[in-house]
Amino acid sequence: MTMPASAASRQPTATAGARSRTLFAGERLSARVSWYAPGLRMQRHTHDCHQLSLLLLGTLGEQTPQQEVRLATSAVGLKPAGLVHANDYGPSGALILGINLPTTFDLKDGLGIEQGWQWREQPASMVLARGGTTLAQLLTGDLPAMQAEASLWELLATMVTAGQRPPGAPPRWLALACERLREEPVSLATLAREQGLHPVYFARAFARWIGCTPSAFRMRAQLQRALPLLAAGHSLATAACQAGFADQAHLSRVTRQHSGLTPARLAALLRE
């Protein structure tokens, strides 16, 4: 029996260190949002459905018998049914919007996906915006089932067309710049000077490889520092201060931009 979106959204589930809420359950696809606590490790496992995931916030490591990825920025991932994989989550934890498709769904014919397991680390801003909007809409449980399903198919369409990194190896200075931005709110001019680069060249190369501007990356890094604080029950003011935001209003703006949710709604979701 198919569960209506409004009913599915009221069914949170939890395992040690992970919380999930079903947002929609239909005959052709389902969706859920999951929060994985900082430091959580999941042993090798498989899924009996195809999964397309949008890493909205946080960090993620994923290992298969063939290779491993480490994600610290927003990303779109595909896991075909039956793929053996393990996961671990860094100091920020991870908030993931996942869409599941039955094994009978042909990924190549239906979505134009020919490659198997993959993660794309720089989804376009429109993917993140649509993902956040879809999450916010489905969490209310007010969308009719037909409209909810249509929103998810539209999100899938944008996810599978997200751009990929340029060919070749990234410049050596990129990892150093990302690490600096994760640690403190350093300015673009300072970063470019430290690497001996012109600010314009630095900003363009950074955006081309990472998929966002240095300032957007810095805001995301601050929000990732706030995630475990919100999940632990700290007040919004405390989380904003300790994560390096100017004030609670600043945290609210960045949270809405990256997840489509208010800090209060996000905190409630993390603690469900």
Side-chain angles (χ1 to χ4, degrees):
M1 179 178 178
T2 301
M3 184 184 297
S6 58
S9 65
R10 295 194 293 270
Q11 302 295 322
T13 59
T15 57
R19 302 183 183 92
S20 294
R21 173 185 282 268
T22 299
L23 301 171
F24 177 82
E27 294 181 356
R28 296 189 298 173
L29 83 170
S30 62
R32 66 172 48 206
V33 60
S34 300
W35 161 247
Y36 299 95
L40 176 66
R41 292 181 177 272
M42 302 182 70
Q43 300 301 316
R44 294 176 64 182
H45 60 285
T46 63
H47 299 288
D48 59 2
C49 59
H50 303 310
Q51 285 194 340
L52 282 91
S53 303
L54 177 57
L55 176 60
L56 290 167
L57 298 170
T59 55
L60 164 68
E62 188 162 276
Q63 306 85 37
T64 72
Q66 289 74 38
Q67 56 183 313
E68 175 180 355
V69 296
R70 293 281 163 188
L71 306 169
T73 61
S74 298
V76 170
L78 164 66
K79 284 190 287 291
L83 178 76
V84 177
H85 63 287
N87 298 103
D88 62 86
Y89 305 90
S92 301
L95 182 69
I96 298 176
L97 176 60
I99 300 177
N100 297 335
L101 299 167
T103 55
T104 54
F105 185 89
D106 190 310
L107 293 173
K108 180 178 179 180
D109 289 343
L111 295 174
I113 299 175
E114 298 189 32
Q115 184 178 344
W117 175 78
Q118 58 181 292
W119 278 95
R120 298 179 181 179
E121 296 185 70
Q122 54 165 356
S125 58
M126 66 176 294
V127 182
L128 293 175
R130 183 177 290 275
T133 299
T134 302
L135 173 59
Q137 290 175 337
L138 293 178
L139 278 172
T140 66
D142 295 333
L143 283 182
M146 184 177 297
Q147 186 176 346
E149 181 173 351
S151 295
L152 289 168
W153 284 118
E154 290 172 356
L155 175 59
L156 274 177
T158 60
M159 287 170 65
V160 299
T161 55
Q164 299 190 35
R165 282 185 170 187
R172 296 180 62 183
W173 56 262
L174 188 65
L176 298 174
C178 288
E179 189 61 30
R180 285 277 279 134
L181 287 168
R182 293 188 191 102
E183 293 175 350
E184 58 181 310
V186 61
S187 70
L188 184 152
T190 299
L191 283 172
R193 184 171 62 251
E194 289 176 351
Q195 304 303 326
L197 301 171
H198 190 281
V200 173
Y201 174 83
F202 177 91
R204 291 180 62 187
F206 189 100
R208 188 163 59 248
W209 281 98
I210 301 300
C212 65
T213 65
S215 59
F217 186 93
R218 183 178 66 241
M219 289 298 99
R220 179 182 173 82
Q222 290 179 230
L223 184 53
Q224 290 181 170
R225 289 197 292 272
L227 278 180
L229 299 172
L230 294 173
H234 290 278
S235 69
L236 299 183
T238 297
C241 179
Q242 294 189 16
F245 290 96
D247 50 33
Q248 187 173 321
H250 188 198
L251 170 61
S252 180
R253 290 195 300 273
V254 174
T255 302
R256 282 181 176 273
Q257 178 183 355
H258 285 264
S259 69
L261 306 176
T262 65
R265 187 67 189 89
L266 176 61
L269 178 63
L270 301 182
R271 295 197 294 268
E272 284 181 346

